[in-house]
Amino acid sequence: MNRYNTIFSERLQQLRESGAYRRFLEVNKSAQHFPYFYYEDENAVQRRAVNWCSNDYLGLSTHETLISKLSFTTHRSGTGSSGTRNISGTTNHHRVLEQTLAEWHQKEAALLFNGAYQANVTTLQTLARNIPGLVFLSDERNHASLIEGMRSVSNKKLVFRHNDIAHLEELLKSIPQDLPRIIVFESVYSIKGTVAPIKEIVQLAKKFDALTYVDEVHAVGLYGPSGAGILEQEGLQDAVDIVNGTLSKAIGAFGGYIAASSLIVDFIRSFGSGFIFTTSFASGNLQRSQ
């Protein structure tokens, strides 16, 4: 065991020396006082601060109506789903929410995951493992979950410069015509706040017969007439093949999902190990606000 402990200690020390070691502030979140929170400083003195880094963009996690609905559903259905989706873990709440999300994004179907990270990794892995020769084209600013989904398989990966349509087209031209390909990007990028040129990407996808996969987690709830995201705002909901979204940010709850055609959703549902072999999240998290 000592040699393993040495490895762990050395790697952690390298992380500290590089300035990348993570220290967590313990937050005492108050539903009554949000966005203020309370914490203890290094002298154990309680202090109050404003949470400017929260991803609860609309403050819905502390909204009284949502809290009461979640409490009601949890009291009625329990704190856990008690199974994977294929073994008792698919409740009427899952079905209704997936239908609601599909309609929201103007897609035929949706599929719930325990988080948007899991949705990204599972979906991209599943596509790569089941579409022979699939080539990924990835924006260089993509989220870690998108990168992990593509990196975890042996398929060829081509990275295009951030929002650079000319570079993307150049890479598409370099792929043999008979090889399938998928363009993976975000609608709103969290670090710089840039928005993808979705219309141009979609046009290239059509020209080169590529699938499109867009991560809308930083846009759902905020953009478009109904809050469905940048695709809705730009009138492009029908133009992108697969949409990834989250319930954990602007929606103020927990979980992630994809929305796509019923055929694609059925395909991921049937072959995605990250979906099949995990307990579905609690029904209490699924009661949507009317």
Side-chain angles (χ1 to χ4, degrees):
M1 185 64 184
N2 286 339
R3 64 173 175 172
Y4 300 111
N5 286 341
T6 299
I7 294 172
F8 301 148
S9 297
E10 288 178 351
R11 292 290 286 125
L12 285 169
Q13 184 57 33
Q14 291 171 6
L15 203 62
R16 293 187 183 95
E17 291 173 357
S18 70
Y21 183 77
R22 293 175 174 84
R23 292 176 173 82
F24 300 112
L25 174 68
E26 184 176 307
V27 173
N28 180 4
K29 180 182 177 181
S30 169
Q32 289 72 41
H33 302 155
F34 185 80
Y36 291 97
F37 68 91
Y38 302 89
Y39 70 99
E40 286 188 358
D41 64 16
E42 61 276 10
N43 298 314
V45 176
Q46 180 169 279
R47 299 189 177 278
R48 188 177 82 153
V50 177
N51 189 349
W52 291 107
C53 61
S54 171
N55 59 22
D56 183 8
Y57 306 136
L58 302 177
L60 290 180
S61 72
T62 60
H63 194 284
E64 286 293 337
T65 301
L66 269 67
I67 292 172
S68 65
K69 283 181 175 290
L70 291 174
S71 298
F72 173 78
T73 308
T74 300
H75 181 76
R76 184 176 63 182
S77 300
T79 58
S81 68
S82 305
T84 62
R85 288 292 298 272
N86 58 314
I87 306 177
S88 78
T90 296
T91 69
N92 57 311
H93 302 298
H94 291 83
R95 178 184 56 78
V96 171
L97 182 54
E98 286 177 338
Q99 185 178 49
T100 300
L101 291 170
E103 293 171 357
W104 197 30
H105 290 284
Q106 295 184 20
K107 296 296 184 185
E108 293 178 344
L111 193 65
L112 289 165
F113 291 80
N114 288 349
Y117 190 110
Q118 182 190 25
N120 276 336
V121 171
T122 298
T123 303
L124 294 174
Q125 280 181 347
T126 304
L127 292 172
R129 290 169 179 170
N130 291 277
I131 302 177
L134 181 67
V135 178
F136 287 113
L137 295 109
S138 172
D139 188 287
E140 67 177 345
R141 292 286 183 179
N142 273 339
H143 188 266
S145 57
L146 295 169
I147 295 171
E148 183 62 26
M150 293 179 278
R151 186 170 55 187
S152 62
V153 290
S154 60
N155 299 61
K156 186 174 183 179
K157 307 156 190 71
L158 301 175
V159 179
F160 59 94
R161 291 185 291 271
H162 180 53
N163 282 351
D164 191 329
I165 293 299
H167 190 212
L168 173 58
E169 183 169 14
E170 179 185 332
L171 293 178
L172 284 164
K173 288 179 179 177
S174 72
I175 303 171
Q177 191 173 1
D178 61 325
L179 288 181
R181 68 289 307 270
I182 182 170
I183 304 171
V184 181
F185 62 103
E186 297 183 51
S187 60
V188 178
Y189 291 84
S190 60
I191 301 300
K192 287 184 171 291
T194 50
V195 177
I198 301 174
K199 184 177 180 179
E200 290 82 358
I201 291 175
V202 166
Q203 289 172 341
L204 282 181
K206 186 175 181 180
K207 179 179 178 180
F208 290 93
D209 190 25
L211 287 171
T212 46
Y213 186 103
V214 61
D215 184 318
E216 282 253 59
V217 298
H218 301 107
V220 291
L222 301 177
Y223 301 91
S226 72
I230 295 293
L231 291 179
E232 182 187 37
Q233 177 176 282
E234 300 299 320
L236 295 169
Q237 286 184 296
D238 291 335
V240 171
D241 296 299
I242 306 172
V243 178
N244 170 277
T246 184
L247 305 173
S248 306
K249 297 183 186 296
I251 309 305
F254 183 76
Y257 60 89
I258 61 167
S261 68
S262 56
L263 183 62
I264 290 176
V265 167
D266 192 26
F267 184 81
I268 303 303
R269 181 191 69 86
S270 300
F271 291 98
S273 60
F275 170 80
I276 297 168
F277 298 106
T278 187
T279 297
S280 61
F281 59 74
S283 297
N285 191 55
L286 298 167
Q287 181 65 38
R288 67 185 178 96
S289 177
Q290 301 298 322

